[in-house]
Amino acid sequence: MNKSLRFLIVLVPIIIFTFFANVLLIEEDEKFSKFNTKNFPSFELNDLNGIPVKYEYLDGIKLVNVWASWCITCLVEHPFLTKLSDANIQIVGLNYKDSNNKASAWLQKHGNPYIFSIYDPRGDLAFDLGVTGAPESYLVIDNQVVAHIQGEMTSKKWETIFYPLIKKASNET
Amino acid sequence: MIGEISHFLSLSAVVIFSLILIFNFFFFFGKIHPNQLSLSIRLFNQACWLVFISFAMYVYLAINDDFSIAYIASHSNSQLPIFYKISSIWSAHEGSMFLWIVFLTAWSIFFINSLDDSHSLKKTTLLMVSLIILGFLLFLLLTSNPFERLLPFGAIEGADINPVLQDPALAIHPPMLYLGYVGFVISFSYITAYLFHGNFELEWEKDIKNWSLVAWIFLTIGITLGSWWAYYELGWGGYWFWDPVENVALMPWLAATAFMHSLYASSKSSVLKTWTMFLGILIFALSLFGAFIVRSGIIDSVHSFANDPQRGLYLLIFSGLITLLALGVFAYRIPSLNASKFVVSGSKESFLSMNNILMVTSIFSIFLGVTYPLIIEAINGEKVSIGPPYYNTIFTPLILITAIFIMASVDSLWQRSKPLKSYVYKTFFPVILSILFTYFVWHITETFSILSYIGIFSGLLILFTYLLRVLNNFFYKKFINKGSAIAHIGLGLLFLAVSLNSILSYEKNLYLAPGESIFVNESIKEFSFDDIKVLKASNHDVISVEVSLLQDGKNIILNPQKRKYATRGQITTESSIYASILKDTYLTIGDQLENGSWTFALKINYFIKWIWFSASLMVMGMLITIFKKKAT
């Protein structure tokens, strides 16, 4: 059989693999920059104490964290959120499909990193926001959702996705 | 505790597989020790058993609700029936990877022990499979460990299996598919070992033939079950969506189908050996590629597991190296394979090599369809999606060519051509009958779509070719290869059913309030929304609707549902299907509108069951082939 054909049998897979490796590595860097910013949806909900939450409460830089007392991963990311709130990051909880009693008890037991938690038992706001489950975190700057992650908030995700955006936003103002 | 033991056993298996490889690597250069092979085999068997026991313990943990294991806590629930507790293991990435490895190990241990100790390829094959199992075990333990504990506290209750996965078809769809995928590790390792050895006198085809046939059966059943499940459980209303993950399952299937045809030729005469080996390597390489696509999340798909570039990179590098190793040694050995190059045109070999070319073309087209969006995105950052139109346009001509060659190839002879007159005689009736029937279909449906009619014609061509042969066999006792005939009738039926489905089926969106009834069309004279109820089940609330139809003079009651699951808050739609031989009446409910009426999606799917029936015919044909081989 032809020599160049033999060469191709090896070369073609190498090209394919290199291509995929490239796509994989590029995607990692660019993923969050491709996020389409959108307005934070309007809502009429109370916080866990029954006080109506105003839309203006989301002005400034806020990390909106979707959580629930039934959610295990929320407990896993809880220490990290506490650390963030100790570092003066304002975290707004979105209590998702939960009961008020259980949620309050959960916060009392594990500590409350949130400035307040929006109580969304039916998941109305969560639906408009595009929540698929708990936990999820949204970065909201001046009522604009600028970044979104699903699953546990880790220091890596915080440092690569959220922190640069916060830094940029606070430099601009 | 059991979790740690299970974890430890998997780690031990890693150590032993590494030992086998290191140990043989050093002996490779030195003199061969007489006990080397038997020691390797013993170590290999023990390592495999460690994997099995580790998995069995993991199943035990899942059954007993050990929610201190993070994976079980986030995918199972104490309220689930045992059946789903077990199947929850393969409902997400980590556990399904574990199952993948268990199957890989199972195929390997059976195959290695089926070879005689004196078999010259036993050792190299063993090393090859050990390397592959080791690579995947490391992938599991390093990047996607299912044994991880939730520390410091375990969960009290599990987060529950995704409700759409709570279905018997889904519980068996992944295992079947994986059994098929990894089954081709045998042909892959064995062919690579054969090429390494360079002992080309050996008759290698018979050793892997039946293994590959069985793996093909699993793969076919796996794909069919997936398609069936998507249709009746997910409420998608179709059977195939050209979704990237469906495509990466179809590629190994096409390669495997080509491989088996080619294997048939190379075991009968010495041509096509190079082709057969290439295909044997390609199948598993495509399986690995599929695992990469699904598990790296590189392409958005309904099946994608969580995005994790690290996993993707590991899989890419590992499968890349394995594939290159095999293809490299293949390319190096091509000149010494001395397969006879001369193929008589019109002989059976020539048709089988045509089959190989067509199959590889199909694989390439799908591969292009899967990667094209990525290429475009890499070049100009735009997101494009390639959908059914691309595949339909590409595949229809391929199907027609395939059908023509299948028709011409029946009755062809090994290494000899037949006079042209016999082709004319043989193809006359199928062609005439197919044209008449296609015209007949056009006459009664009065719709026209060139692609679908080519599909219908191609399907009929294959069907009539084989049906005439069956008649010949029945009346004149002419020889017929039963397995092949049944499988090809299945193929013809598949083309026919898919094409008819695409021209006849239709969809209507209806808006009705409870108590209302409307006229839909000539076939469905009345559609009435009789009742709506909210019910409570153990782990979900149900909105159940009762609709009665007056279809073709018959009264039909349908009960589509919407379910809201408590633990995950997920909403699923349960379609309601009324099935008759020709068509399915498929109804799902949508949302409630502001004026109180509900939206309904009514689909009339023609010939959809025929699609799965034809897939089962193919499986049946293959089973007959296997058992006939055993008998002789």
Side-chain angles (χ1 to χ4, degrees):
Chain A
M1 202 176 283
N2 204 318
K3 206 167 188 175
S4 55
L5 184 66
R6 287 165 61 197
F7 188 60
L8 269 182
I9 290 176
V10 182
L11 191 67
V12 170
I14 291 182
I15 294 171
I16 292 172
F17 287 120
T18 329
F19 169 73
F20 275 106
N22 259 320
V23 173
L24 213 56
L25 294 173
I26 290 169
E27 280 221 333
E28 195 179 7
D29 303 336
E30 291 185 353
K31 205 146 254 170
F32 76 90
S33 65
K34 280 185 188 160
F35 184 82
N36 294 327
T37 53
K38 58 172 185 190
N39 280 325
F40 195 86
S42 61
F43 57 92
E44 280 174 25
L45 290 166
N46 297 343
D47 69 3
L48 283 174
N49 303 319
I51 302 163
V53 179
K54 287 192 182 133
Y55 193 69
E56 294 81 63
Y57 292 178
L58 290 163
D59 288 351
I61 298 169
K62 299 279 188 302
L63 178 68
V64 176
N65 176 259
V66 181
W67 69 280
S69 65
W70 45 261
C71 149
I72 301 139
T73 319
C74 298
L75 198 58
V76 176
E77 68 171 3
H78 187 264
F80 185 71
L81 293 182
T82 310
K83 231 161 71 184
L84 288 181
S85 105
D86 290 344
N88 286 329
I89 303 292
Q90 297 197 311
I91 311 175
V92 175
L94 176 57
N95 182 256
Y96 175 59
K97 297 188 176 174
D98 206 351
S99 83
N100 201 324
N101 292 340
K102 281 187 190 163
S104 305
W106 193 87
L107 288 179
Q108 263 182 8
K109 189 174 168 193
H110 301 291
N112 188 351
Y114 307 109
I115 48 174
F116 59 88
S117 279
I118 305 169
Y119 180 51
D120 188 10
R122 287 189 305 172
D124 296 337
L125 172 58
F127 183 82
D128 293 339
L129 200 54
V131 171
T132 59
E136 284 188 23
S137 301
Y138 295 81
L139 184 61
V140 182
I141 298 179
D142 294 331
N143 303 314
Q144 290 276 314
V145 182
V146 294
H148 168 214
I149 59 154
Q150 296 179 339
E152 184 192 345
M153 171 65 86
T154 59
S155 60
K156 194 179 165 200
K157 285 179 193 162
W158 175 256
E159 276 154 25
T160 55
I161 301 173
F162 289 78
Y163 187 66
L165 289 170
I166 292 180
K167 214 171 147 188
K168 202 173 123 205
S170 46
N171 284 345
E172 279 168 9
T173 48
Chain B
M1 185 60 192
I2 292 173
E4 274 68 37
I5 298 175
S6 173
H7 193 174
F8 177 74
L9 291 180
S10 284
L11 283 171
S12 318
V14 168
V15 174
I16 299 181
F17 281 122
S18 320
L19 273 178
I20 297 172
L21 290 169
I22 295 168
F23 165 79
N24 278 287
F25 181 75
F26 282 116
F27 272 104
F28 188 72
F29 298 105
K31 224 169 75 184
I32 290 175
H33 192 275
N35 289 335
Q36 186 193 349
L37 179 64
S38 65
L39 180 58
S40 301
I41 294 168
R42 273 170 69 178
L43 281 174
F44 176 79
N45 285 339
Q46 283 159 6
C48 291
W49 277 103
L50 287 177
V51 176
F52 298 147
I53 297 168
S54 170
F55 187 73
M57 291 174 105
Y58 200 75
V59 172
Y60 173 84
L61 289 173
I63 293 175
N64 286 290
D65 304 320
D66 190 335
F67 297 135
S68 65
I69 306 264
Y71 182 78
I72 296 176
S74 41
H75 298 96
S76 183
N77 188 287
S78 61
Q79 303 298 316
L80 284 175
I82 286 190
F83 181 66
Y84 291 127
K85 281 182 187 173
I86 298 173
S87 75
S88 76
I89 293 176
W90 51 85
S91 69
H93 168 73
E94 286 87 346
S96 63
M97 199 65 227
F98 199 6
L99 186 72
W100 214 90
I101 294 171
V102 168
F103 286 155
L104 187 66
T105 319
W107 277 104
S108 308
I109 192 171
F110 278 123
F111 180 65
I112 294 293
N113 288 304
S114 79
L115 294 174
D116 269 350
D117 278 1
S118 56
H119 197 295
S120 59
L121 299 185
K122 186 163 183 170
K123 195 184 75 186
T124 323
T125 314
L126 184 146
L127 293 180
M128 209 49 213
V129 291
S130 303
L131 180 67
I132 295 169
I133 299 173
L134 178 66
F136 277 103
L137 269 177
L138 281 174
F139 171 69
L140 181 77
L141 295 171
L142 294 177
T143 70
S144 20
N145 195 327
F147 301 104
E148 241 162 51
R149 292 261 185 197
L150 277 174
L151 291 173
F153 320 104
I156 303 152
E157 181 55 286
D160 208 353
I161 189 175
N162 188 335
V164 298
L165 307 183
Q166 285 181 35
D167 181 273
L170 193 89
I172 43 178
H173 155 64
M176 286 289 161
L177 200 59
Y178 293 173
L179 271 174
Y181 275 146
V182 298
F184 291 101
V185 72
I186 289 174
S187 61
F188 181 86
S189 309
Y190 189 85
I191 288 170
T192 315
Y194 175 85
L195 291 165
F196 259 118
H197 263 253
N199 169 17
F200 299 128
E201 300 303 302
L202 195 77
E203 288 213 359
W204 54 281
E205 291 93 348
K206 65 174 177 13
D207 282 330
I208 50 173
K209 195 165 201 160
N210 278 341
W211 297 90
S212 309
L213 298 185
V214 174
W216 183 91
I217 288 179
F218 281 122
L219 193 57
T220 313
I221 295 177
I223 294 174
T224 313
L225 275 177
S227 142
W228 181 53
W229 167 70
Y231 174 66
Y232 90 96
E233 165 73 25
L234 285 189
W236 291 0
Y239 53 92
W240 192 263
F241 299 89
W242 297 109
D243 177 89
V245 173
E246 290 173 341
N247 289 337
V248 298
L250 189 61
M251 285 193 282
W253 186 86
L254 288 169
T257 310
F259 174 66
M260 280 161 347
H261 284 90
S262 191
L263 197 64
Y264 179 52
S266 57
S267 62
K268 293 271 178 185
S269 64
S270 67
V271 292
L272 299 186
K273 272 199 189 330
T274 330
W275 258 115
T276 313
M277 287 185 180
F278 174 69
L279 289 168
I281 293 170
L282 188 68
I283 307 166
F284 193 63
L286 287 171
S287 295
L288 291 175
F289 175 73
F292 162 71
I293 289 282
V294 182
R295 288 164 197 282
S296 67
I298 196 166
I299 292 174
D300 296 325
S301 149
V302 283
H303 295 76
S304 290
F305 293 100
N307 254 335
D308 189 342
Q310 213 192 346
R311 280 178 196 157
L313 208 59
Y314 181 105
L315 269 184
L316 185 70
I317 293 172
F318 177 67
S319 39
L321 288 178
I322 294 280
T323 309
L324 278 179
L325 177 73
L327 286 179
V329 65
F330 169 71
Y332 174 73
R333 291 290 191 189
I334 286 177
S336 38
L337 284 174
N338 59 35
S340 88
K341 282 189 188 116
F342 186 66
V343 176
V344 183
S345 66
S347 66
K348 197 155 232 160
E349 296 93 315
S350 71
F351 287 117
L352 285 166
S353 64
M354 198 56 216
N355 172 63
N356 286 342
I357 292 167
L358 285 170
M359 291 287 196
V360 172
T361 314
S362 315
I363 295 170
F364 179 74
S365 315
I366 298 177
F367 187 84
L368 200 64
V370 172
T371 47
Y372 185 75
L374 287 173
I375 297 173
I376 291 300
E377 203 183 331
I379 293 171
N380 59 14
E382 268 176 53
K383 277 196 189 289
V384 292
S385 78
I386 287 202
Y390 165 82
Y391 294 101
N392 293 344
T393 336
I394 294 265
F395 272 90
T396 314
L398 283 175
I399 283 172
L400 180 64
I401 301 169
T402 308
I404 291 171
F405 276 102
I406 287 179
M407 176 181 68
S409 73
V410 291
D411 286 337
S412 60
L413 301 166
W414 293 110
Q415 286 151 350
R416 268 182 298 147
S417 166
K418 279 180 137 182
L420 199 62
K421 213 163 68 182
S422 80
Y423 285 108
V424 176
Y425 169 72
K426 199 172 59 186
T427 56
F428 180 73
F429 286 110
V431 172
I432 294 296
L433 282 172
S434 305
I435 291 173
L436 285 176
F437 263 78
T438 313
Y439 177 76
F440 176 68
V441 171
W442 177 66
H443 190 72
I444 52 171
T445 61
E446 291 169 343
T447 49
F448 196 75
S449 135
I450 183 82
L451 295 181
S452 305
Y453 281 94
I454 292 177
I456 292 172
F457 177 73
S458 312
L460 288 170
L461 215 52
I462 302 176
L463 269 180
F464 283 126
T465 304
Y466 278 93
L467 287 177
L468 286 176
R469 277 171 60 82
V470 171
L471 288 179
N472 258 330
N473 170 258
F474 194 76
F475 290 112
Y476 303 108
K477 301 281 169 265
K478 268 195 169 180
F479 169 77
I480 186 168
N481 180 343
K482 287 198 192 69
S484 154
I486 291 177
H488 285 102
I489 287 175
L491 182 73
L493 213 54
L494 179 72
F495 292 165
L496 189 64
V498 167
S499 315
L500 285 173
N501 174 273
S502 84
I503 50 170
L504 293 174
S505 302
Y506 61 90
E507 191 181 337
K508 286 241 186 285
N509 287 316
L510 307 168
Y511 309 92
L512 275 90
E516 273 185 317
S517 93
I518 49 169
F519 171 86
V520 181
N521 58 21
E522 281 307 312
S523 154
I524 301 167
K525 292 228 162 65
E526 198 178 284
F527 179 104
S528 17
F529 185 176
D530 294 342
D531 198 9
I532 180 161
K533 283 187 291 248
V534 179
L535 310 165
K536 275 206 181 299
S538 69
N539 60 346
H540 56 265
D541 294 339
V542 184
I543 297 170
S544 181
V545 166
E546 198 180 289
V547 168
S548 57
L549 293 178
L550 187 64
Q551 186 178 25
D552 306 325
K554 247 190 302 182
N555 239 326
I556 302 164
I557 306 246
L558 292 171
N559 275 95
Q561 296 185 337
K562 246 184 156 167
R563 292 184 187 167
K564 193 171 170 189
Y565 283 79
T567 14
R568 285 181 170 235
Q570 192 170 352
I571 295 170
T572 66
T573 51
E574 303 288 311
S575 48
S576 177
I577 303 170
Y578 174 81
S580 63
I581 294 172
L582 284 188
K583 62 187 176 189
D584 278 12
T585 309
Y586 184 104
L587 184 69
T588 45
I589 37 171
D591 296 317
Q592 190 173 20
L593 300 174
E594 275 170 21
N595 63 8
S597 60
W598 289 76
T599 58
F600 289 89
L602 176 70
K603 288 183 184 139
I604 308 297
N605 291 316
Y606 279 85
F607 291 99
I608 194 140
K609 268 185 306 310
W610 293 58
I611 293 170
W612 298 301
F613 174 67
S614 52
S616 10
L617 277 184
M618 287 193 227
V619 169
M620 213 162 80
M622 193 56 85
L623 279 171
I624 290 173
T625 309
I626 294 176
F627 284 108
K628 201 181 64 193
K629 289 262 157 51
K630 284 262 167 65
T632 49

